[in-house]
Amino acid sequence: MEGDLADSLAALINDGSLDLEAEDRLVIALDFGTTYSGIAYAFNTPGKKAEANPIVDWPGLEGSRQPKVPTLISYDPKDPNKFKWGGQLDWRSDAVQGVKLLLDPSQQQPIYVPTSNIKNELKKLPKDPVDVAADFMSAMYSHAISKIETVQPKEYVRMCQKQFVLSVPAVWSDLAKDRTLRAAKKAGIHPVSLIKEPEAAALYTLYVQERALRSGDAFVVCDAGGGTVDLITYQVITTEPSLKLAEVVPGKGGMAGSLNLNKRFAELVRNVVGDEQWVGLKKGFGWSKVANEFDKAIKRSFNGNLDEEHYITFPQFTLKDDPDEKVSGNYWVMTGHQVQEIFDPVITDIIRLIDDQVKDALLKQQGKNLRGIFLVGGFGESQYLKACIEKKIPDIQVIQPNNAWAAIVNGAVLSQLPHHATVQSTQAVRHYGVSAWMPYQWPADNGRPTRINPEDGIIRVQRNTWYIYIGEDLKRNHTVRFPFVRTFSVPYSREQLIFYDNLLTSATKIPPVYPGRDISINCTLKSDLTAVDTSLFRPKKGVDGKDYIEVNYDLVLSTDAANMKFSLEVNGKRCGITNANYE
């Protein structure tokens, strides 16, 4: 019953029937990250200015106020419904890490990190990754509500209409976005809107620097996190009466997050101690301590100083002395050069992504008004990363704004508040379309497989029709229509009014004309027209003398959020049901 009510509320919000400014709302944003996660909120009360407030007190981290909590979860081996999470765990704990990346296992891993077997990682989980993510989100949300109820009366918090927004990487596949949404729904976070992480970061970063902005200014936002690095360029459309932005060129990104530094550090230790000692070291207490020391201290403080040395001890494990590797008395001296070698392939990858984005943006901007590169996210706080970017791209200012770590979750809140900051249009990063049997055209279709439809006798060939193209401006609050025509013989059954259509996608520069290897199925759309007035169907006589019914309908795509939302229309009126299956 509760799910039905949430679905009905979501439908009212999406079609504009419910005025979100007409009553008190509690906007809750969740940034579910690879290594750290956060929640921020705002009370949107009519007539009062709303501000984003991050949750900074977390279980297990008492006395340390911070806007993020480690994305860790450890299950009770006797009861998979019991678990500890976040700050309740430390480096000694055997915890699930990086589950976010398992929501999109199709993402290409960098060649400079040790190869990992996704199937083996999935087998280690006590549950499906969606369920693990749901457990973590649920714990975060429950804690956040308890903290929010300490600053406002509980009755008021419970009375407020809840509106949720969840940030996702810009490079995320539509399948991964769908899995993230399913995890959020299982966690009780529903109905929820999705926002791209760099978009949320841009909204917050540019909003707090609004006085320094002018219409026409453009900025590259580089969101460098634990798992992914996303880049999108935004142009300031106007600053009055509120900040309005637009994407300049399609965003880019990759799996170049700081988690790769940890993997490369582990590989370095393995090379230093040798495979035989590495097997024993990894099983014990010593490796957990060393890995934590690198993650929490060494990699965060590294600024490029090659003269600095780090004395690393391995408790409860006896290492063989090795003067060549600077291993003596159970400690190892890691040099600044070795730390740099860990960083450099990852930094090079990020700079490549930034350089590509800058060149695309300058081309679109005709070489003008690209004012800076904003570094946000946890990895974006690295001074070494900033220095390397400045060295490679000296003509554009690199800015590390205050509160860069919490920029995403704060910006996600702002995206749902009126009169603050909005992104008016985005850039398509893929082609989207459908494939259908169309009338044969000579000579273009010569040699292609053909068939003859019995209802019209026309020779047809299968071709692709693209409705969204890479680099196309996708205006917010606008829709894209995919027209379909279905013909079936009379009499027909109720089941025949349920159709399945594949939405195709391609990342090639020029969209393919015919089906082939450069095309993949984005999702399968189920359209149910069983409740549609049959008088809207058009009867026709086939060339074979049989009676047919022709059904014309549109699948309507909304690009208002980071995820696609579909509806079904017949004769311009919304009717029927459309569901998208990404699995």
Side-chain angles (χ1 to χ4, degrees), residues 259-478:
L259 195 60
N260 293 321
L261 302 177
N262 299 41
K263 294 177 180 179
R264 287 181 56 77
F265 172 72
E267 190 71 3
L268 174 61
V269 174
R270 178 177 181 171
N271 290 336
V272 167
V273 304
D275 286 343
E276 185 177 342
Q277 291 191 103
W278 172 250
V279 172
L281 176 63
K282 275 215 71 175
K283 293 179 180 178
F285 170 86
W287 168 245
S288 297
K289 175 189 174 296
V290 169
N292 181 70
E293 183 180 350
F294 176 80
D295 182 62
K296 297 295 191 298
I298 297 173
K299 81 174 185 182
R300 297 188 186 191
S301 64
F302 183 64
N303 60 6
N305 182 2
L306 302 184
D307 295 327
E308 187 176 12
E309 293 182 333
H310 302 275
Y311 290 79
I312 298 175
T313 60
F314 298 84
Q316 296 185 4
F317 190 84
T318 303
L319 286 177
K320 299 176 183 177
D321 288 354
D322 186 343
D324 292 336
E325 296 289 357
K326 296 188 175 182
V327 177
S328 176
N330 215 41
Y331 70 84
W332 165 48
V333 181
M334 184 169 65
T335 67
H337 285 279
Q338 287 174 312
V339 180
Q340 184 186 52
E341 289 173 359
I342 290 172
F343 269 81
D344 278 357
V346 186
I347 298 287
T348 299
D349 201 6
I350 295 173
I351 290 176
R352 176 186 59 80
L353 291 167
I354 294 176
D355 190 53
D356 288 346
Q357 184 74 183
V358 166
K359 287 176 180 176
D360 290 345
L362 286 173
L363 184 63
K364 187 72 174 284
Q365 293 281 106
Q366 298 180 341
K368 301 176 182 177
N369 299 329
L370 189 55
R371 303 298 183 191
I373 300 168
F374 284 108
L375 275 181
V376 299
F379 195 11
E381 294 184 334
S382 166
Q383 292 301 309
Y384 183 60
L385 174 60
K386 179 176 184 287
C388 290
I389 296 170
E390 288 174 329
K391 183 177 179 180
K392 293 292 184 179
I393 309 175
D395 299 329
I396 301 176
Q397 184 182 4
V398 181
I399 303 167
Q400 288 175 313
N402 293 329
N403 300 320
W405 199 25
I408 292 172
V409 73
N410 286 334
V413 172
L414 291 182
S415 73
Q416 304 301 308
L417 299 177
H419 317 306
H420 279 71
T422 57
V423 173
Q424 291 190 316
S425 65
T426 62
Q427 296 273 309
V429 296
R430 302 178 187 90
H431 308 295
Y432 290 93
V434 297
S435 183
W437 289 90
M438 304 179 188
Y440 180 89
Q441 295 179 354
W442 190 90
D445 295 330
N446 187 35
R448 304 295 304 182
T450 61
R451 77 178 189 186
I452 299 177
N453 280 12
E455 64 269 20
D456 57 20
I458 296 176
I459 300 175
R460 296 178 180 270
V461 65
Q462 195 171 16
R463 287 200 300 270
N464 303 318
T465 300
W466 301 101
Y467 295 98
I468 297 176
Y469 295 88
I470 290 177
E472 181 178 347
D473 274 327
L474 301 177
K475 304 291 184 184
R476 291 287 164 86
N477 300 320
H478 284 219

Side-chain angles (χ1 to χ4, degrees), residues 132-172:
V132 175
D135 286 341
F136 187 85
M137 290 183 191
S138 178
M140 284 187 71
Y141 174 51
S142 297
H143 172 72
I145 287 294
S146 70
K147 299 305 294 185
I148 295 170
E149 288 178 343
T150 65
V151 298
Q152 291 283 356
K154 290 183 179 180
E155 293 76 13
Y156 176 68
V157 174
R158 292 168 185 173
M159 177 203 76
C160 283
Q161 176 193 317
K162 308 295 190 300
Q163 185 180 358
F164 301 103
V165 57
L166 180 62
S167 57
V168 292
V171 296
W172 235 217

Side-chain angles (χ1 to χ4, degrees), residues 212-240:
L213 305 179
R214 296 173 300 177
S215 295
D217 286 351
F219 297 87
V220 173
V221 177
C222 176
D223 169 28
T228 59
V229 173
D230 285 320
L231 294 108
I232 301 182
T233 304
Y234 293 94
Q235 183 183 54
V236 177
I237 303 303
T238 181
T239 59
E240 296 293 341

Side-chain angles (χ1 to χ4, degrees), residues 51 72 80 103 115 127 133 140 174 182 215 256 269 292 296 373 436 441 460 485 494 545 560:
E51 295 292 344
L72 301 173
L103 296 176
T115 56
K127 300 180 179 181
M140 284 187 71
D174 292 307
R182 286 195 279 121
S215 295
V269 174
N292 181 70
K296 297 295 191 298
I373 300 168
Q441 295 179 354
R460 296 178 180 270
V485 180
R494 178 183 176 87
D560 195 44

